[in-house]
Amino acid sequence: MRRITGLLAILLFSASSQASGLYLYEIATEDTGLAGAGQAAQAQDASTLVTNPAGLTRLPDRMLTGGLQALYGDTPYTLDDSAALSGKSPGNTIGWFPGASVFYHQRLNEAVSAGIGLYGNYGLGLDFGDWAGERLIKKSTLVGLTLSPAVAWQINDRLSWGAGVGINYGFLSLTRNVDGQDEKASDHDWALNFRTGLLFDVTEATRIGLAYTSKTEYHFNIDATARFPQLGNTEFTLPLSSQINTPAQLMLSVVHDLNNRWSVMGDLGWQDWSVYGGNQIYVAGQQVERTSRLRDTWHTALGLQFRPDERWRLNAGIAYDSSFYKNQDDTAMTMPSGDVWRFGTGAQYQLTPSSSVGAAFEYLNMASSAVSSPLLRGEYRDPDLYFFSMNYSHTF
């Protein structure tokens, strides 16, 4: 089983290949069991700092939330018989790797709360291993770590506002085979982004959250040029020297308590994937793939929470994200993605009046995507991701 070196790797890191396809909602919190439904309005633990910082005003005076996560990816890539690069296909490009997050909240006075978080939630790293195109790429990984302070103000009994800053560190590496030996090139960069949100109690049983997160813009400089003897030493270049942006996101969420046992929740979201343009391969200095293949995406989710008694919360949710590709038959090999369905379930248990523990599972299924480039023509067929997480919260 091949393994990638990133995406929430070594606990608190998140990895992606060159703009590699998924903005992950999963950061080892209770929201995983809801498939992210109601994320901007839930505010049930200190991780609300990420989903909507305004939710910090709903928390106890001091709260610590942390989580561990394991992700398994099943994303097989198969070269087409008509591809210019003939030979072995990469097979599965993702395997097992760990992840984690930690958040702390503290109330400063009756109206103002503050928090800080350390987490990673973007992308996928790819490991193609020994295959026909190993001169061009064997591994491509972007490791990112975000430190985020935030503050929230309870404007009145119904309305709260919050804002936070993301201090992001990114490390990009590309490994390929050069004259029979693996060579690794890497670069790193710092980037800032911000988030802000509102949380409004419509009634005692219904609240609405609206959250916006700006894009994160990295700039890396890596020589990603390769020559193939079997193709007359023609020069091919992957676009790894260009800037890499994580998309801006707008999320509207609603949570409604039907009674003291049942709650329903939902999301409607937008992500600005079109800022990516496209992921081009250059042949002998000439661009061979068009730049307008990406489009903005839409997100929707529905969740249900059942509280049989004061100790238990049982969660279930389903979510859908549209594909950022205009055409699933014209995608990039380093950006496997398509229409995404998420199915989550989980449970939280109140160990003591001041501490709780939870576990969640989520299954993510992506639509198949085909690469039309003559050089790498092939297909990701029915890619799947599996998330297993545990979380713990303690109030002081």
Side-chain angles (χ1 to χ4, degrees), residues 46-184:
S47 68
T48 188
L49 180 149
V50 176
T51 54
N52 186 352
L56 293 171
T57 60
R58 294 182 58 89
L59 302 181
D61 289 348
R62 290 181 294 172
M63 188 175 195
L64 178 69
T65 298
L68 299 174
Q69 184 167 280
L71 186 158
Y72 177 76
D74 181 16
T75 58
Y77 185 77
T78 304
L79 285 171
D80 190 84
D81 291 339
S82 62
L85 284 179
S86 59
K88 184 180 178 182
S89 295
N92 185 25
T93 59
I94 302 175
W96 286 99
F97 45 90
S101 61
V102 61
F103 304 92
Y104 177 74
H105 157 267
Q106 182 161 334
R107 186 175 300 277
L108 302 181
N109 56 46
E110 291 185 359
V112 180
S113 296
I116 190 167
L118 189 63
Y119 64 94
N121 71 325
Y122 178 75
L124 291 173
L126 300 177
D127 183 353
F128 294 90
D130 299 321
W131 71 296
E134 62 183 17
R135 280 179 168 264
L136 186 64
I137 181 174
K138 291 189 72 171
K139 296 180 183 180
S140 177
T141 302
L142 171 64
V143 178
L145 176 66
T146 299
L147 176 67
S148 181
V151 64
W153 174 36
Q154 187 173 352
I155 299 172
N156 55 45
D157 291 342
R158 289 193 173 188
L159 180 64
S160 294
W161 169 78
V165 175
I167 304 168
N168 306 278
Y169 174 76
F171 178 83
L172 177 67
S173 69
L174 171 67
T175 301
R176 58 190 175 184
N177 183 290
V178 179
D179 297 328
Q181 294 185 345
D182 287 351
E183 289 192 2
K184 182 177 180 180

Side-chain angles (χ1 to χ4, degrees), residues 38-315:
Q39 58 186 277
Q42 278 279 69
Q44 290 186 324
D45 59 48
S47 68
T48 188
L49 180 149
V50 176
T51 54
N52 186 352
L56 293 171
T57 60
R58 294 182 58 89
L59 302 181
D61 289 348
R62 290 181 294 172
M63 188 175 195
L64 178 69
T65 298
L68 299 174
Q69 184 167 280
L71 186 158
Y72 177 76
D74 181 16
T75 58
Y77 185 77
T78 304
L79 285 171
D80 190 84
D81 291 339
S82 62
L85 284 179
S86 59
K88 184 180 178 182
S89 295
N92 185 25
T93 59
I94 302 175
W96 286 99
F97 45 90
S101 61
V102 61
F103 304 92
Y104 177 74
H105 157 267
Q106 182 161 334
R107 186 175 300 277
L108 302 181
N109 56 46
E110 291 185 359
V112 180
S113 296
I116 190 167
L118 189 63
Y119 64 94
N121 71 325
Y122 178 75
L124 291 173
L126 300 177
D127 183 353
F128 294 90
D130 299 321
W131 71 296
E134 62 183 17
R135 280 179 168 264
L136 186 64
I137 181 174
K138 291 189 72 171
K139 296 180 183 180
S140 177
T141 302
L142 171 64
V143 178
L145 176 66
T146 299
L147 176 67
S148 181
V151 64
W153 174 36
Q154 187 173 352
I155 299 172
N156 55 45
D157 291 342
R158 289 193 173 188
L159 180 64
S160 294
W161 169 78
V165 175
I167 304 168
N168 306 278
Y169 174 76
F171 178 83
L172 177 67
S173 69
L174 171 67
T175 301
R176 58 190 175 184
N177 183 290
V178 179
D179 297 328
Q181 294 185 345
D182 287 351
E183 289 192 2
K184 182 177 180 180
S186 62
D187 194 14
H188 65 93
D189 193 23
W190 291 88
L192 293 176
N193 74 329
F194 74 92
R195 66 177 55 84
T196 188
L198 294 169
L199 188 61
F200 180 67
D201 291 339
V202 181
T203 67
E204 291 186 358
T206 305
R207 61 186 178 274
I208 297 175
L210 179 65
Y212 173 80
T213 303
S214 71
K215 72 177 181 179
T216 306
E217 188 171 272
Y218 293 111
H219 294 80
F220 298 104
N221 185 17
I222 291 181
D223 181 9
T225 302
R227 295 179 181 273
F228 289 88
Q230 61 176 298
L231 301 176
N233 279 326
T234 303
E235 184 179 273
F236 295 85
T237 303
L238 285 175
L240 295 178
S241 60
S242 62
Q243 67 183 27
I244 298 177
N245 303 324
T246 62
Q249 174 180 269
L250 185 66
M251 186 69 69
L252 175 67
S253 299
V254 178
V255 174
H256 177 67
D257 300 326
L258 299 172
N259 50 48
N260 62 352
R261 289 193 171 189
W262 291 94
S263 297
V264 295
M265 56 215 68
D267 290 336
L268 181 62
W270 163 84
Q271 293 176 349
D272 188 17
W273 281 103
S274 61
V275 297
Y276 279 108
N279 198 15
Q280 295 85 37
I281 291 178
Y282 291 81
V283 180
Q286 299 297 314
Q287 180 181 313
V288 296
E289 298 180 16
R290 65 177 181 267
T291 61
S292 59
R293 66 169 49 168
L294 301 188
R295 61 184 177 184
D296 293 345
T297 62
W298 293 92
H299 162 86
T300 186
L302 180 65
L304 186 66
Q305 185 174 91
F306 175 55
R307 299 172 292 276
D309 55 43
E310 294 181 353
R311 288 185 174 271
W312 285 97
R313 291 199 301 264
L314 307 179
N315 299 314

